[in-house]
Amino acid sequence: MYSFKNDYSEGAYPRILTALMESNLVQEDGYGEDHYSRQAIELIKQKLGQADVDIHLLTGGTQTNLIAISAFLRPHEAAIAASTGHIFTHETGAIEATGHKVIAVETADGKLTTEQLQNVLDFHTDEHMVKPKLVYLSNSTEIGSIYNKEELEQISQFCREKNLILYMDGARLGSALCSSENDLKISDLPILVDAFYIGGTKNGALLGEALVICRDSLKDDFRFHIKQKGALLAKGRLLGVQFLELFRDDLFFDLAMHANKMADMIRDEIRNAGFTFLTHSPSNQIFPILPNSIISELQRKYAFLIWEIIDSGTSAIRLVTSWATKEEAVLEFIDDLKKTIIKL
Amino acid sequence: MYSFKNDYSEGAYPRILTALMESNLVQEDGYGEDHYSRQAIELIKQKLGQADVDIHLLTGGTQTNLIAISAFLRPHEAAIAASTGHIFTHETGAIEATGHKVIAVETADGKLTTEQLQNVLDFHTDEHMVKPKLVYLSNSTEIGSIYNKEELEQISQFCREKNLILYMDGARLGSALCSSENDLKISDLPILVDAFYIGGTKNGALLGEALVICRDSLKDDFRFHIKQKGALLAKGRLLGVQFLELFRDDLFFDLAMHANKMADMIRDEIRNAGFTFLTHSPSNQIFPILPNSIISELQRKYAFLIWEIIDSGTSAIRLVTSWATKEEAVLEFIDDLKKTIIKL
Amino acid sequence: MYSFKNDYSEGAYPRILTALMESNLVQEDGYGEDHYSRQAIELIKQKLGQADVDIHLLTGGTQTNLIAISAFLRPHEAAIAASTGHIFTHETGAIEATGHKVIAVETADGKLTTEQLQNVLDFHTDEHMVKPKLVYLSNSTEIGSIYNKEELEQISQFCREKNLILYMDGARLGSALCSSENDLKISDLPILVDAFYIGGTKNGALLGEALVICRDSLKDDFRFHIKQKGALLAKGRLLGVQFLELFRDDLFFDLAMHANKMADMIRDEIRNAGFTFLTHSPSNQIFPILPNSIISELQRKYAFLIWEIIDSGTSAIRLVTSWATKEEAVLEFIDDLKKTIIKL
Amino acid sequence: MYSFKNDYSEGAYPRILTALMESNLVQEDGYGEDHYSRQAIELIKQKLGQADVDIHLLTGGTQTNLIAISAFLRPHEAAIAASTGHIFTHETGAIEATGHKVIAVETADGKLTTEQLQNVLDFHTDEHMVKPKLVYLSNSTEIGSIYNKEELEQISQFCREKNLILYMDGARLGSALCSSENDLKISDLPILVDAFYIGGTKNGALLGEALVICRDSLKDDFRFHIKQKGALLAKGRLLGVQFLELFRDDLFFDLAMHANKMADMIRDEIRNAGFTFLTHSPSNQIFPILPNSIISELQRKYAFLIWEIIDSGTSAIRLVTSWATKEEAVLEFIDDLKKTIIKL
């Protein structure tokens, strides 16, 4: 059974474990004040082309989202998200648990537009309603789509005009930036958004997300919030060493490139076989719509999620690739798929 | 410069990193549903002699405390802790951030007594005050003391009679249970307390605490709370592999034993030299009171915390040992201490 | 300018003020432990035909909702509400501020159905999502519709089967129960719902809502929650005296009856004139759809809300009547409406 | 049985009820946007000699404290209070329920000093601890003492230098400002503190506290917080009419003066009889220490609280006077006290 269920089925990219081994017995200060974390942060700033950002290394996406959003907002302020957004339904109400409403917007493709944002602002007219204050985007989105530069620029400008905080969930930022359709550079982000995170967990690390705070007014006292939410690791070096390895060279991008390439191979094959997709997803998650008979056959050798029932005979499935996805497994999957199609 | 600052200055016990390496490319389910976590949990249950407990693997002490306490309490209920308790002043108000007051009790030695608990109950008489509901103990305490079996039995019985939840913070449980003065067995804990955690971070793991929930009424839906607080690791295997290694044999205890032995050596030497201690701490943290001149001299080669100013000429320092503390470093420290004493 | 903007434009029904005057200088215990509050609670229990409920007198609807819901739910549990429900968008995120998500359901008429509730349960499958636990109904709803007995029985049975808490917001319960289309008795409520409140503010009181807790497991320690949320009035007598007056005889129902009668008169006239309504609302709020020219003309003499733009030429307005609405004002409004129709 | 239990045993000063009667049927906008509230706020600004403050009318002290403090603080910030402070133990953890720690300081007389505040700042050194940000004072304090101008000026200057928010709980501000020992003017307050409230509930109103926000940065969006916490009354006129009446002339001060005078009469008599007091309380609460035999005798005719057991033979009681305390009752109490003393 080979798994395409997600991009966190394996441990870490081996070079990262090696780095942990090599640094293991060096004595370091705790709580993120070690040399590895400091160096990793400097390296990321260099990649971003921005010295004037604050970077904090955290352990997971939900954790990063809830700490950032609760630190950025006052009690009456709310976040706006696509209804597919991770914070809206897949974080067990983590944002609400910190006191803030998440205002959901139905979208066609998991991406927000300025029109939708304007509608939200228009609806919230007075103090009987929450005050929409933060725009939450995921890139790539939870259904595999990505924002292009123009789209992000429009939203960025809108947020500035309306005094909204623009926050990007980058759990799969690597895959988004390495998509064949992408025209954003990582160095565009500090210019366009107020805060975002660079996802390590789904791109080669054991765990780890690098939160980048760009807007000055959001930076103060941030480490208090990390500690209060139980996210300040005693051995912060664990995160430092990993991000140092990911950004020492282009490993972070190489790994995402590989994941995308694996997804591209499967996507092309399925498209060529005449099937359609639930969403346009030029990243490491794809959602083909297949006859249930083919799905059943594939499930004998492969693990993946049934994403949505389309009709009585077809369903959309989710296939996810990662840095760890083996090319031979992809080729075998393609081969099995072809055989199944022929058989049926 | 050799550090006695804390028990998390190094990475993990090497065998643990090896286990991570060896399991690294096996595909596993996410979010703690991997085979390693399941096995680790089974092993811990065996060590506890209790099949009927729920165990959850989490990443840090503050995180574990806040998730457990907020899951266990209703909004008007409060925790009682020693004023030295970690939740009272060293977690940035993490418990209060989930809505609950921490009622602090001044203690002589960091340990709570039933008399003190009764005083708290007597003071809280009606609905204009919070309802004290959970007793928070640390073992070993933040100042190195430990509970013996009789003390814990008394508190346990008191809590049952008063319908209080008894929770033990075991960030340094290994050191407590391996103290030369200890008469508690790890298998006593599920019988005496309602929930506790076994600290891995300070005893050989990269990170990780195993929360054990003993009382049935506290078990329901606990994974929701873990997810909501951002603590459900996508790669939960990282915790599973580590605890599996710690409890596969007696590694967890062997590591704590080593830490204690290193502390014992230093403690004995300081005592023999005629100095006293701030607290009676038969575990891996010691708090000798030394002339400032000696402290200054030691600071040239060793890192440690100045814990408290005693008077104009003397201060209490904190020395912490761990699984990673080298015996030769301890011997050298002792030697340096002796030389310093002679010199002054 | 006569106002049909809401049902809280005036003070209290005069008899209530008289009762406050007469009781004013009697010394009473504070915090709801006065004789008036106790008597009022006994009287309400008699009207409900239920001795075995707990009743608490509070000052407003949002306050009552947030105290009840936050007291009833554990941190990971959520409320389900119609998207028109007061808690979803008109309480400034009050429920979320206590840590709980509100799951909104789009409805045709402001009323929830068991099918919709089942859909919510089906969607929330595991610990990555909140756990739907409480069903929030308003009766009458925010858009004037009411639940009949069969509808409420179905929801009640569903909630029992699924172990959901059924909570009714009764800000306008008087108007609902006195609607010509109503077949529910106030004594049905303790049998069908787990908790509800009887709205005084919008039915003759200066302020005041009587929260009735029917399910035993929701009763414990409730006064702690009231105090914690800042809702325990020092002079609780203010609420006791008012509810005593409202329920000493049938004043509560008489006032609602009057409000409904005034709405009926306007509704009939508008219907007879050939206009339609945004919703079917047999209570004290009506939402006629009128040409903008007529609306403008009416606005010269009457205050009311523009509720929704229907198209370029017509809008829905909201007209609200109350115990204080004068019949002569209604007749004059009808007369003015007729004249306006003729003119245009 | 005559009650000296508290200053909220009766309803409202009669003139206030008359004003409610007279205004009762005037139609007004809801939620504090009525003419009475606006006028009351203007009047209070005049009394304060400050046009540039924001004033909000709320219903109770705990409510006001929790809304203000939670609106003013970021999640990691804490309030500092005397351990006798109302927010520390008599609000059922209301502040903690909004997520903020209350740091308690033991005081001799219920009053904070700059030395104590400096100690708190010194103790809170880094992000592992909350950040002390708001200083909570009560004037008069919960044990009857008052701040003089010099004391308040010192604290004010200290707070400015340390960038702390200075907040005064004025539940009994009337009594403090009308004390024979007071040298503060109400117009000093906007200059010296960042926010405070003028207590109506304990000084003649049915209910009502006027929160005055002086520091500009604390003013934004405050009505959102009021609504979110369930404190925006539909019939805000109820508060407006009352404060209008209290500040139309000097009624607010006259009522407090009466309360103090009644307390003075009792205090003088008890002092003359040779008894001492638990605290120096030149306001409307006094805490005489009396033999238990005298206390028992007095309890036959008078209601009051036993405040503290002093020793086996004596206790401190609390006697509270108010605008409603009758001089004849005071004279009778004094007479009964004298007789009791003679008898024993």
Side-chain angles (χ1 to χ4, degrees), chain A residues 67-79:
Chain A
I67 296 172
I69 293 174
S70 70
F72 296 165
L73 297 182
R74 294 183 62 208
H76 63 302
E77 295 175 341

Side-chain angles (χ1 to χ4, degrees), chain B residues 64-82:
Chain B
T64 305
N65 290 336
L66 81 86
I67 296 172
I69 293 174
S70 70
F72 296 164
L73 296 183
R74 295 183 62 205
H76 63 302
E77 295 174 341
I80 309 171

Side-chain angles (χ1 to χ4, degrees), chain A residues 59-60 206-207, chain B residues 30-32 59 207 226 230-239:
Chain A
T59 71
L206 280 171
L207 82 178
Chain B
Y31 301 115
T59 71
L207 83 177
I226 297 175
L232 199 59
L233 292 189
K235 297 176 180 170
R237 64 193 295 151
L238 170 58
L239 300 170

Side-chain angles (χ1 to χ4, degrees), chain C residues 1-3 5-14 17-18 20-21 24-31 59 62-63 66 86 90-94 97 200-202 204-207 224 227-230 233-235 237-238 323-324, chain D residues 1-3 5-14 17-18 20-21 24-31 59 62-63 66 86 90-94 97 200-202 204-207 224 227-230 233-235 237-238 323-324:
Chain C
M1 186 74 73
Y2 194 81
S3 175
K5 277 171 85 170
N6 57 51
D7 31 18
Y8 41 84
S9 293
E10 291 86 359
Y13 187 69
L17 285 187
T18 308
L20 285 172
M21 279 251 174
N24 191 46
L25 293 180
V26 179
Q27 288 193 317
E28 286 286 343
D29 276 348
Y31 302 114
T59 71
T62 297
Q63 187 185 79
L66 81 87
H86 207 254
H90 286 87
E91 301 190 350
T92 319
T201 304
K202 291 170 178 163
L206 280 171
L207 83 177
F224 285 82
K227 177 63 186 168
Q228 186 183 72
K229 299 300 187 281
L233 291 189
K235 296 176 180 171
R237 63 193 295 150
L238 170 58
W323 63 271
Chain D
M1 183 76 72
Y2 194 82
S3 175
K5 276 171 84 171
N6 57 51
D7 31 18
Y8 41 85
S9 293
E10 290 87 0
Y13 187 69
L17 285 187
T18 307
L20 285 172
M21 280 249 174
N24 190 46
L25 294 180
V26 180
Q27 288 192 319
E28 285 286 343
D29 276 347
Y31 301 114
T59 70
T62 297
Q63 187 185 79
L66 81 89
H86 207 254
H90 286 86
E91 301 189 351
T92 320
T201 305
K202 291 170 178 162
L206 280 172
L207 82 178
F224 285 81
K227 178 62 186 169
Q228 186 184 71
K229 299 300 187 281
L233 292 189
K235 297 177 180 170
R237 64 196 293 151
L238 170 59
W323 62 270

Side-chain angles (χ1 to χ4, degrees), chain A residues 304-318:
Chain A
F304 49 82
L305 292 189
I306 307 290
W307 191 258
E308 200 178 310
I309 309 294
I310 303 299
D311 56 37
S312 64
T314 59
S315 302
I317 64 170
R318 183 179 81 158

Side-chain angles (χ1 to χ4, degrees), chain A residues 3 9 11-12 24 27 205 235 237, chain B residues 9 11-12 24 27 205 235 237:
Chain A
S3 174
S9 293
N24 190 45
Q27 288 193 318
K235 296 176 180 170
R237 64 195 293 150
Chain B
S9 292
N24 191 45
Q27 288 192 316
K235 297 176 180 170
R237 64 193 295 151

Side-chain angles (χ1 to χ4, degrees), chain D residues 165-184:
Chain D
I165 297 164
L166 181 53
Y167 172 79
M168 182 182 282
D169 181 327
R172 293 189 174 97
L173 184 62
S175 178
L177 295 180
C178 296
S179 164
S180 60
E181 299 189 7
N182 175 64
D183 63 351
L184 273 170

